[in-house]
Amino acid sequence: MLRSFVEVAPDSHFPIQNLPFGVFRPRAGGPGRVGVAIGDYVLDMAALEEAGHFRGTPLDGRAVFARPSLNALMALGRPAWRAARAVAAHLLDANEPALRDTPALREAALWPMGAVELLLPAEIGDYTDFYSSRFHASNVGAMFRGGENPLLPNWRHLPVGYHGRSSSIVLSGAAVRRPWGQLRPPDGGAPLFGPTRQLDFELELGFFVGPGNPLGEPVPIERAEEQIFGLVLVNDWSARDIQAWEYQPLGPFLAKNFCTTISPWVVTLDALEPFRVAGEPQEPEPLPYLRQQGPGAFDITLDVLIQSPTMADPARIARSNARHLYWSMAQQLAHHTVGGCNLRPGDLLASGTISGPERESRGCLLELAWRGTEPLTLPNGETRIWLEDGDLLTLTGWAQGDGYRVGFGEATGRVLPAQG
Amino acid sequence: MLRSFVEVAPDSHFPIQNLPFGVFRPRAGGPGRVGVAIGDYVLDMAALEEAGHFRGTPLDGRAVFARPSLNALMALGRPAWRAARAVAAHLLDANEPALRDTPALREAALWPMGAVELLLPAEIGDYTDFYSSRFHASNVGAMFRGGENPLLPNWRHLPVGYHGRSSSIVLSGAAVRRPWGQLRPPDGGAPLFGPTRQLDFELELGFFVGPGNPLGEPVPIERAEEQIFGLVLVNDWSARDIQAWEYQPLGPFLAKNFCTTISPWVVTLDALEPFRVAGEPQEPEPLPYLRQQGPGAFDITLDVLIQSPTMADPARIARSNARHLYWSMAQQLAHHTVGGCNLRPGDLLASGTISGPERESRGCLLELAWRGTEPLTLPNGETRIWLEDGDLLTLTGWAQGDGYRVGFGEATGRVLPAQG
């Protein structure tokens, strides 16, 4: 098995089989730059570039690593992404001496995770959120419209999605302030105004786009995966009582735009390739522009953990899997562009809440506690139907290989009380 | 009356009372930079900066004009915006010799409109579209839900809005490609796939934000107008048959994101101040965070013109007015941020279709032809219920002063046939 000379714990999310891209800044000072995670270290791609390790590759002379975002790398396209990952894999290989046995280069290019600050991986131009889990859409439909016909007529024909807010996307670790807003009146009268009483998380994956397409030129589904740079965890924090009041007829707005958390390391499609599986069966067959050749889902275990201020450790409250998604990333991307909408490097397209068929695989509190009717009991006896102030919420996920994990790290956020 | 030494026709949109900001590039070559419109000329603010005309103002040393967008100027805030406009007004004044009588500076700083190419005025991070005309929302509600209770329960309590697509915002003059998409099946069966058959325009105004607010810190309504840099015309092109099929439950997506056209010149709130009027009466009184002191609407005449390929001249098909808006810009901005959502310099917030009480003041074809049941007849005998290939659609608008017009110029687009 491929192995790195950098020590990697067996349950690490970042073995040499992964090599996700991110952006970091040394805590001691210095500009932001592109890195690759390996075990508990960050490989400094700008340092490798400076040392000439991209000569003769599609990255030669492009200067895409000494920058505080991945956008320039994303713009170059998949051959360049592959070259970058291949150079990193080669230099980190246990049998390759070029980095291993060159102390000066190791000193310059390998940073302990604790010595760096991770930054948002991209400047996100547009953020789109889909609604691609049938289990999630059915559960929500059953709760709000009754159980007989929980899916709306369009749901099986197209990947329903909407535009989200880019400005309020934050990196894992940022606190989340409970938002104020207009809350649905219980009796159909005037709305209440106050901090949301129904703060929720949503367990999602998102993918970054590159290089994008010109306005008016759709991306055919056969070529859609060429546009997928890599994936991150996404927590689409939601205020359900704000959402219930505001969302007709134009969709969620303030219920979602107060904060969205993403994980810092962008896991490439190449790293996930061994975990490709068939997604949920699609019936009826989609229109030709949405027909995917071959399997389009990925077997990625996704966990949600919560830690209240009185809990010593986080406790798992949900385990789902990306294989439960009905609409694939390629289908989302082909649909997004079929009318000519242009995507740009750094655009983020998220899956929507990823729920599975079991109760434990529901991807948000709305479903887990079934609209407040089935409270969750935590290990210390506390119960939850919605998030409470002080709760630390963690999303994590990984694909399990034979003796290694291709992981996403974490997307965490602690709930702060509403402003006074 | 204030008058410029630059000749300005009486019906010009750009007298010295206006002085809107834009971004241009000389057709002969050279980088993009900030300009101000005066009659048929563009005043080159970067040239004024280079000549030292902003010394001693809040713009001193900020270098915000020699840039291909207004974002840096927007970020400085209203005192800087006022200083920029005051310097331009001073130098353009008929009684002021500094520019008038300095041929070298005139040569460097005054460009005939025909010698420049106008560019998108800002890098637009996030684009939000509201739904703030009661006449429009009532008309749409009456058409789709019946006439007895055309407004949804939330509409009079909050400015309904949603996030739009930034990447596909284009400048006036760009052609608009008829999009393909899934169209609502007439009989409730499977959707059709093809070019939209119900292509529409939407007559809107939008405003650019600066300097913005940090995440988690709402902008109180009393301070909202300090955040409004200026206004442009917005045509939110729409595909009604795509919209009708896709929009439940998360709102419009592909029906709107194929193209949005804006006008190039950003008209400041200061220029519009003489035209401030009370908006539509608000009943019930809004919640305290939405209560505006004083009038919040503006008396801006808004025209829509169409020219088919066989017409010699454009013909007006609608005349509306921004005073018909129910929710003001300050209310939109206060609402947008009340849950903590951060706005950034260059964000665009649009009004939604601006319809008035009369038939002629309806701001889109959906309303003008009442969902296809009342075709419009054009001067050459053609009829329209939706836009046809080759149609040139023009939005224009102005506030009428005593002997001058504070105008917006135009937002135009010609419909191209769907791709082949």
Side-chain angles (χ1 to χ4, degrees):
Chain A
M1 190 178 83
L2 195 61
R3 206 171 59 79
S4 176
F5 67 86
V6 178
E7 196 185 351
V8 178
D11 63 347
S12 169
H13 281 200
F14 308 124
I16 194 168
Q17 288 80 3
N18 190 351
L19 303 181
F21 293 99
V23 175
F24 74 99
R25 179 163 62 195
R27 290 196 184 275
R33 69 200 71 172
V34 173
V36 160
I38 178 74
D40 292 329
Y41 287 80
V42 178
L43 180 65
D44 185 331
M45 299 293 276
L48 297 188
E49 186 173 57
E50 201 174 308
H53 283 285
F54 297 107
R55 281 191 206 123
T57 78
L59 296 151
D60 202 349
R62 307 310 289 260
V64 296
F65 297 119
R67 302 188 189 218
S69 83
L70 288 164
N71 294 60
L73 176 60
M74 290 166 171
L76 292 184
R78 203 157 190 195
W81 312 338
R82 287 194 160 142
R85 196 159 163 272
V87 167
H90 173 72
L91 289 173
L92 290 168
D93 192 317
N95 301 313
E96 166 58 40
L99 176 61
R100 185 191 69 197
D101 299 344
T102 310
L105 186 59
R106 286 182 60 157
E107 183 67 26
L110 277 173
W111 298 82
M113 284 271 185
V116 307
E117 178 191 4
L118 298 176
L119 306 177
L120 262 191
E123 285 182 46
I124 301 167
D126 280 292
Y127 161 47
T128 302
D129 202 12
F130 286 91
Y131 192 53
S132 289
S133 155
R134 182 170 61 83
F135 299 104
H136 172 64
S138 297
N139 284 339
V140 173
M143 273 184 258
F144 290 94
R145 284 185 305 275
E148 289 185 22
N149 212 349
L151 289 178
L152 288 167
N154 58 13
W155 199 91
R156 286 177 181 272
H157 292 280
L158 54 81
V160 169
Y162 70 108
H163 293 294
R165 182 81 193 172
S166 295
S167 70
S168 52
I169 297 176
V170 300
L171 196 66
S172 176
V176 182
R177 178 74 67 182
R178 180 182 296 273
W180 287 71
Q182 293 195 24
L183 316 180
R184 183 167 60 172
D187 57 355
L192 310 170
F193 182 68
T196 176
R197 301 163 184 184
Q198 300 184 352
L199 185 63
D200 203 353
F201 67 88
E202 291 197 324
L203 168 64
E204 307 193 10
L205 284 169
F207 67 90
F208 282 106
V209 170
N213 60 305
L215 185 62
E217 298 184 18
V219 178
I221 191 158
E222 302 78 35
R223 309 205 59 179
E225 286 195 354
E226 295 170 25
Q227 294 283 345
I228 301 176
F229 176 80
L231 285 71
V232 291
L233 298 162
V234 177
N235 183 348
D236 181 31
W237 304 93
S238 299
R240 301 297 183 191
D241 40 8
I242 296 175
Q243 185 173 355
W245 174 239
E246 75 175 0
Y247 90 106
Q248 287 284 13
L250 300 180
F253 182 44
L254 302 192
K256 304 275 196 173
N257 71 8
F258 60 94
C259 192
T260 305
T261 300
I262 66 172
S263 55
W265 294 107
V266 188
V267 178
T268 64
L269 265 198
D270 286 331
L272 292 169
E273 197 53 52
F275 311 102
R276 188 185 284 271
V277 292
E280 294 283 324
Q282 297 188 319
E283 173 56 41
E285 185 181 32
L287 283 162
Y289 82 92
L290 288 173
R291 270 179 219 155
Q292 178 154 18
Q293 296 304 310
F298 293 87
D299 180 6
I300 302 167
T301 300
L302 296 164
D303 278 1
V304 182
L305 300 97
I306 196 169
Q307 185 177 14
S308 79
T310 67
M311 289 166 68
D313 298 294
R316 194 175 85 204
I317 56 172
R319 169 162 287 183
S320 188
N321 193 301
R323 68 188 307 156
H324 295 314
L325 288 167
Y326 186 91
W327 295 105
S328 72
M329 293 183 284
Q331 289 175 320
Q332 291 165 358
L333 197 145
H335 181 66
H336 203 317
T337 64
V338 74
C341 181
N342 55 325
L343 305 177
R344 297 178 292 189
D347 285 351
L348 180 66
L349 279 65
S351 59
T353 304
I354 304 174
S355 296
E358 299 89 24
R359 177 176 172 167
E360 194 209 32
S361 57
R362 299 173 184 167
C364 61
L365 279 173
L366 173 65
E367 291 170 82
L368 285 163
W370 207 257
R371 212 179 174 184
T373 60
E374 303 174 13
L376 292 188
T377 301
L378 305 182
N380 67 347
E382 290 182 67
T383 59
R384 285 292 179 281
I385 55 174
W386 306 109
L387 294 171
E388 298 191 5
D389 292 347
D391 285 350
L392 176 68
L393 200 287
T394 300
L395 309 184
T396 185
W398 66 90
Q400 184 67 53
D402 186 8
Y404 67 93
R405 282 182 168 181
V406 170
F408 286 79
E410 293 181 343
T412 72
R414 191 184 299 279
V415 178
L416 298 182
Q419 275 194 319
Chain B
M1 191 178 83
L2 194 61
R3 208 171 57 78
S4 176
F5 67 88
V6 178
E7 196 186 350
V8 177
D11 62 348
S12 169
H13 281 199
F14 308 125
I16 193 168
Q17 288 81 4
N18 190 352
L19 303 181
F21 293 98
V23 174
F24 74 99
R25 179 164 62 194
R27 289 196 184 276
R33 68 200 74 172
V34 173
V36 160
I38 178 75
D40 293 327
Y41 287 81
V42 178
L43 181 65
D44 185 332
M45 299 294 276
L48 298 187
E49 187 174 57
E50 199 174 310
H53 284 284
F54 297 108
R55 280 191 206 122
T57 78
L59 296 151
D60 201 350
R62 305 311 287 261
V64 295
F65 297 119
R67 302 187 189 219
S69 83
L70 288 165
N71 294 59
L73 176 60
M74 290 166 170
L76 292 183
R78 205 158 189 194
W81 312 336
R82 286 194 159 142
R85 195 159 163 272
V87 167
H90 173 72
L91 290 173
L92 289 168
D93 192 316
N95 301 312
E96 167 57 39
L99 176 60
R100 185 192 67 198
D101 299 345
T102 310
L105 186 58
R106 285 182 62 157
E107 183 67 25
L110 277 173
W111 299 81
M113 284 270 184
V116 307
E117 178 191 4
L118 297 176
L119 306 177
L120 261 191
E123 285 182 46
I124 301 167
D126 279 291
Y127 161 48
T128 302
D129 202 12
F130 286 91
Y131 191 55
S132 289
S133 156
R134 182 169 60 82
F135 299 105
H136 172 64
S138 297
N139 284 340
V140 172
M143 273 184 260
F144 290 94
R145 283 185 305 275
E148 290 184 22
N149 211 350
L151 290 178
L152 288 167
N154 58 13
W155 199 91
R156 286 177 180 273
H157 292 281
L158 55 81
V160 170
Y162 70 109
H163 293 294
R165 181 83 194 172
S166 295
S167 70
S168 52
I169 297 177
V170 300
L171 196 66
S172 175
V176 182
R177 179 73 67 183
R178 179 183 297 273
W180 287 71
Q182 293 195 24
L183 316 179
R184 183 167 60 173
D187 55 356
L192 310 170
F193 183 67
T196 175
R197 300 162 184 185
Q198 300 185 351
L199 184 63
D200 203 353
F201 67 88
E202 292 197 324
L203 169 64
E204 307 194 11
L205 283 169
F207 65 90
F208 281 106
V209 170
N213 60 303
L215 185 62
E217 299 185 19
V219 178
I221 191 159
E222 303 79 36
R223 309 205 60 178
E225 287 195 354
E226 295 170 24
Q227 294 283 345
I228 300 176
F229 176 81
L231 284 71
V232 291
L233 298 162
V234 177
N235 183 349
D236 181 31
W237 304 92
S238 298
R240 301 298 183 191
D241 40 9
I242 296 175
Q243 186 173 355
W245 174 238
E246 75 174 2
Y247 89 106
Q248 286 284 14
L250 300 180
F253 183 43
L254 302 192
K256 304 275 195 173
N257 72 7
F258 60 94
C259 192
T260 304
T261 300
I262 66 171
S263 56
W265 293 108
V266 187
V267 178
T268 65
L269 265 198
D270 286 332
L272 292 169
E273 198 52 52
F275 312 101
R276 189 185 283 271
V277 293
E280 295 283 324
Q282 296 187 319
E283 175 56 41
E285 185 181 31
L287 283 162
Y289 82 92
L290 289 172
R291 270 177 219 158
Q292 178 154 19
Q293 295 304 307
F298 293 87
D299 180 5
I300 302 167
T301 300
L302 295 164
D303 278 1
V304 182
L305 301 96
I306 197 168
Q307 185 178 11
S308 78
T310 66
M311 291 165 68
D313 298 297
R316 195 175 85 204
I317 56 172
R319 169 162 290 183
S320 187
N321 194 300
R323 68 188 307 157
H324 296 314
L325 288 167
Y326 186 92
W327 294 105
S328 72
M329 293 182 284
Q331 289 174 320
Q332 291 163 359
L333 197 145
H335 182 64
H336 204 316
T337 64
V338 75
C341 180
N342 55 324
L343 305 176
R344 297 178 293 191
D347 285 350
L348 181 65
L349 279 66
S351 59
T353 305
I354 304 174
S355 295
E358 299 89 23
R359 179 177 170 166
E360 194 210 32
S361 58
R362 299 174 186 166
C364 61
L365 278 173
L366 173 66
E367 292 170 82
L368 285 162
W370 207 258
R371 212 179 174 184
T373 60
E374 303 174 11
L376 292 188
T377 301
L378 305 182
N380 67 346
E382 290 182 65
T383 60
R384 286 291 180 280
I385 55 174
W386 305 110
L387 293 172
E388 298 191 4
D389 292 345
D391 284 350
L392 177 68
L393 201 287
T394 299
L395 309 184
T396 185
W398 66 90
Q400 184 67 53
D402 186 7
Y404 66 94
R405 282 182 168 180
V406 170
F408 287 80
E410 293 180 344
T412 71
R414 191 184 299 279
V415 178
L416 298 183
Q419 274 192 318

